[in-house]
Amino acid sequence: MTELVEYIAKALVDHPEEVTVNRVEGEQSVIIELKVHPDDMGKIIGKQGRIAKAIRTVVKAAAAKEGKRVIVEIL
Amino acid sequence: MKTVEKLGKTVEEAVELALKELKAKREEVEVEVLDEGSRGLFGLLSRMAKVRVTLKKKPEEKALEFLRGLFNILKIAPDINMVYEEDGLCKIEMKGKDLGIIIGKRGATLNALQFLTSLVANKESGEYQRIVLDVEGYRKKREKVLRELALKVAKKVKETKKSIALEPMPPSERKIIHSTLQNDSRVKTHSEGEEPYRRVIVSLKYPPVR
């Protein structure tokens, strides 16, 4: 799942080399922390969080296939 | 990616030669000047200009590349087919097994994926290419469902004489509701709210006078 978040993030930003993704195992869910270059924040969040919402929707669908609950956090 | 290097008396001449070879227009390429060239003195010590010209990827090519990589990670392998519709729209159709997950509830996942794909495709290009994703004819089926919904709601509005707000929908789906009811003589439609929660309201054209 980290691979998916990293892939989408890198495709959207101007500084793909500064995308870092971290996986934190929770009790019932997996938290994926996404960090990007400060200038790329807008490209990952979007107006009213539209891009962030779309990323979460796609990741959630992929996670459902594996029967997991995934939370994507943008740091 | 296609790249050529060309020599010319001037930078412009070298670029022209490269464009001819690539069969491309100026806005479809990226030019890197390797050597400005120099006229020299009385024809002595003159150097040719040298450029490297690279064909930029078209938005739809970037879209396909992005989707293929994504499906690879998701371990699904749909058949992907790209068609151009008459209004310049580029439609990417996917067919295959286990594609339910990329449609999602009322197309939520498909719409999210479409949004991300358009962003990636148009990231660096001057012209905006509209891209629509479809899975196994889902868009057509959804359109039929929405048309039926619009007619059903219109009937209810006429009966109850009360406005009805539909659930939030993306712009393309709201358009289907509006166009289905635009010629109805007794009801009218408009949208309210901010994306992504914008919704269509169906109401009576001539509210009863009390």
Side-chain angles (χ1 to χ4, degrees), chain A residues 47-61:
Chain A
K47 271 186 209 154
Q48 278 141 16
R50 269 189 84 190
I51 302 176
K53 187 169 178 269
I55 295 173
R56 291 189 174 114
T57 305
V58 172
V59 172
K60 220 185 273 171

Side-chain angles (χ1 to χ4, degrees), chain B:
Chain B
M1 217 181 287
K2 243 177 137 184
T3 301
V4 294
E5 284 180 15
K6 282 282 164 195
L7 291 166
K9 273 187 215 127
T10 60
V11 169
E12 292 90 90
E13 193 187 275
V15 171
E16 280 306 315
L17 286 171
L19 290 180
K20 214 173 251 176
E21 182 168 324
L22 291 170
K23 295 188 183 69
K25 288 185 209 128
R26 183 67 187 84
E27 63 269 21
E28 292 168 350
V29 298
E30 238 161 78
V31 175
E32 198 183 331
V33 178
L34 301 174
D35 192 335
E36 296 262 4
S38 137
R39 285 231 179 117
L41 208 56
F42 310 117
L44 290 168
L45 299 168
S46 70
R47 279 192 340 264
M48 298 283 262
K50 195 177 183 189
V51 295
R52 181 183 294 153
V53 176
T54 307
L55 205 54
K56 277 194 265 187
K57 270 191 208 133
K58 284 191 194 156
E60 49 273 42
E61 285 168 350
K62 284 194 265 179
L64 283 181
E65 209 172 274
F66 173 70
L67 287 171
R68 289 214 174 92
L70 192 104
F71 293 148
N72 198 17
I73 293 172
L74 294 176
K75 296 190 179 68
I76 49 177
D79 291 328
I80 305 177
N81 186 29
M82 192 167 79
V83 282
Y84 290 95
E85 312 244 302
E86 59 271 25
D87 46 358
L89 188 111
C90 173
K91 196 169 179 188
I92 299 176
E93 296 171 327
M94 289 158 286
K95 277 190 179 143
K97 275 196 298 178
D98 302 325
L99 296 186
I101 67 152
I102 56 173
I103 297 179
K105 191 182 166 203
R106 299 206 178 95
T109 310
L110 189 61
N111 288 335
L113 201 56
Q114 175 174 305
F115 178 54
L116 293 175
T117 306
S118 307
L119 284 174
V120 172
N122 291 298
K123 203 171 120 192
E124 279 142 16
S125 66
E127 265 172 80
Y128 188 82
Q129 171 69 52
R130 267 185 70 203
I131 289 168
V132 171
L133 299 190
D134 198 0
V135 173
E136 300 269 8
Y138 172 79
R139 299 270 178 217
K140 265 259 141 57
K141 277 182 230 158
R142 179 80 179 142
E143 185 180 332
K144 191 167 166 260
V145 169
L146 287 171
R147 287 195 184 283
E148 284 165 7
L149 173 77
L151 296 173
K152 213 169 81 188
V153 168
K155 195 172 159 229
K156 203 166 172 197
V157 167
K158 288 171 202 166
E159 281 166 12
T160 61
K161 303 195 178 0
K162 276 186 187 139
S163 300
I164 293 176
L166 299 179
E167 62 181 273
M169 286 173 196
S172 57
E173 297 193 351
R174 293 200 306 270
K175 200 176 143 194
I176 294 169
I177 305 284
H178 290 307
S179 76
T180 306
L181 298 179
Q182 71 178 354
N183 292 326
D184 192 299
S185 57
R186 289 174 57 204
V187 297
K188 59 184 180 189
T189 59
H190 72 279
S191 297
E192 273 180 17
E194 293 292 325
E195 301 286 2
Y197 304 107
R198 209 164 156 75
R199 43 173 65 193
V200 178
I201 316 279
V202 182
S203 50
L204 275 189
K205 248 181 196 164
Y206 310 105
V209 187
R210 287 187 194 174

Side-chain angles (χ1 to χ4, degrees), chain A residues 4-67:
Chain A
L4 178 66
V5 175
E6 188 177 337
Y7 178 79
I8 297 173
K10 281 189 171 169
L12 291 168
V13 300
D14 290 329
H15 307 278
E17 68 288 351
E18 292 202 29
V19 170
T20 53
V21 177
N22 202 3
R23 183 189 171 111
V24 182
E25 295 283 343
E27 272 177 30
Q28 282 151 23
S29 52
V30 179
I31 299 168
I32 295 176
E33 297 174 338
L34 171 62
K35 233 187 245 178
V36 298
H37 188 278
D39 293 348
D40 281 330
M41 277 309 255
K43 296 220 148 129
I44 222 79
I45 294 173
K47 271 186 209 154
Q48 278 141 16
R50 269 189 84 190
I51 302 176
K53 187 169 178 269
I55 295 173
R56 291 189 174 114
T57 305
V58 172
V59 172
K60 220 185 273 171
K65 199 182 162 196
E66 293 179 15

